[in-house]
């Protein structure tokens, strides 16, 4: 996109090389710093800064949520060791992790989730809740495992929500419009363009 924008701006500057606009045509740099140019630049920089901040925060949240899910799943795997039928529970946990990595993860790009992962979590919940709690040690282990399973479910919900998070449409529109305004303003008031000015506006694009 940047290369195409630079090419378009460079071609436009070449076509406008003989067009004279503005009072100080010999110093086009002075023209792009007038009040209108300063306003466009300020709006563009504000929109661009907000876009970068929001994008970075979204990435940071997604990374934290994935780490929280992995940590809770690892703790759940450890906690069910003291429960009856731990081998089957370990297998269910491993199946869920495999489903997330192989099936659900590619679907996140489209904001979708895996029905198989949903079924794995429901089945795992039923198996843990069905364990008898006649012994205090088993009851404590089951409660801890249930708490970790709740953490896994909550972290997965956050991960799925992160997959559908995007920049506000209004901010993107403002960013595009102000970028076009800045480039158009530089092209018009900077005419006629020389090689040096053309290179500068291409770098800006």
């Amino acid at each position: 996109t940047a290369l195409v924008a630079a090419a378009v701006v460079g071609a436009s500057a070449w076509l406008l090389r003989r067009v004279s606009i503005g009072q100080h045509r010999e110093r086009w740099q002075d023209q792009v710093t007038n009040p209108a140019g300063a306003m466009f630049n300020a709006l563009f920089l504000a929109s661009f800064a907000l876009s970068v901040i929001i994008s970075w925060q979204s990435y940071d949240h997604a990374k934290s949520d994935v780490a929280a899910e992995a940590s809770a799943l690892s703790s759940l795997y450890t906690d069910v060791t003291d429960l009856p039928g731990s081998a089957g529970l370990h297998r269910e946990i491993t199946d869920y992790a495999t489903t997330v990595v192989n099936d659900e993860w590619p679907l996140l790009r489209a904001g979708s989730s895996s029905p198989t992962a949903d079924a794995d979590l429901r089945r795992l919940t039923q198996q843990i809740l069905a364990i008898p709690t006649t012994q205090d040690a088993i009851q404590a282990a089951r409660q801890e495992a249930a708490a970790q399973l709740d953490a896994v479910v909550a972290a997965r919900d956050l991960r799925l929500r992160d997959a559908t998070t995007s920049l506000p449409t209004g901010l993107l529109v403002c960013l595009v419009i102000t970028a076009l305004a800045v480039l158009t303003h530089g092209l018009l008031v900077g005419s006629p363009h020389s090689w040096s000015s053309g290179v500068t506006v291409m770098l800006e694009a």
Side-chain angles (χ1 to χ4, degrees):
T1 302
L3 292 176
V4 171
V8 171
V9 169
S12 301
W14 174 255
L15 294 175
L16 294 172
R17 67 189 185 280
R18 300 185 184 279
V19 178
S20 298
I21 302 177
Q23 297 178 350
H24 304 287
R25 294 186 297 271
E26 72 279 0
R27 297 190 62 188
W28 70 276
Q29 294 91 341
D30 295 338
Q31 294 296 323
V32 294
T33 56
N34 64 18
M39 180 186 68
F40 289 138
N41 277 288
L43 290 174
F44 168 74
L45 290 175
S47 302
F48 183 73
L50 286 175
S51 300
V52 172
I53 292 173
I54 294 175
S55 298
W56 184 259
Q57 287 179 341
S58 299
Y59 165 76
D60 189 58
H61 290 164
K63 184 179 179 180
S64 299
D65 293 336
V66 170
E69 183 182 11
S71 178
L73 197 63
S74 177
S75 298
L76 175 63
Y77 190 92
T78 302
D79 291 338
V80 299
T81 303
D82 298 329
L83 295 175
S86 59
L89 294 174
H90 283 160
R91 186 165 54 252
E92 291 291 341
I93 295 172
T94 303
D95 290 342
Y96 167 75
T98 303
T99 300
V100 168
V101 173
N102 295 334
D103 298 337
E104 187 167 70
W105 194 265
L107 299 176
L108 295 179
R109 182 182 297 274
S112 302
S113 60
S114 171
T116 305
D118 292 330
D120 289 343
L121 285 178
R122 286 194 299 268
R123 184 167 54 252
L124 188 58
T125 301
Q126 293 171 356
Q127 291 179 357
I128 291 177
L129 294 179
I131 296 175
T133 58
T134 55
Q135 301 179 17
D136 292 340
I138 294 180
Q139 182 178 3
R142 194 186 78 163
Q143 290 178 347
E144 183 63 26
Q148 293 297 340
L149 182 58
D150 289 341
V152 171
V153 174
R156 177 175 181 262
D157 291 340
L158 291 175
R159 172 169 57 80
L160 296 178
R161 187 186 65 182
D162 293 333
T164 59
T165 301
S166 60
L167 288 175
T169 303
L171 181 60
L172 289 175
V173 172
C174 183
L175 179 63
V176 172
I177 291 177
T178 53
L180 292 175
V182 168
L183 293 175
T184 302
H185 182 267
L187 278 173
L188 292 180
V189 302
S191 299
H193 287 281
S194 62
W195 281 108
S196 59
S197 65
V199 171
T200 304
V201 292
M202 287 177 66
L203 289 176
E204 186 177 8

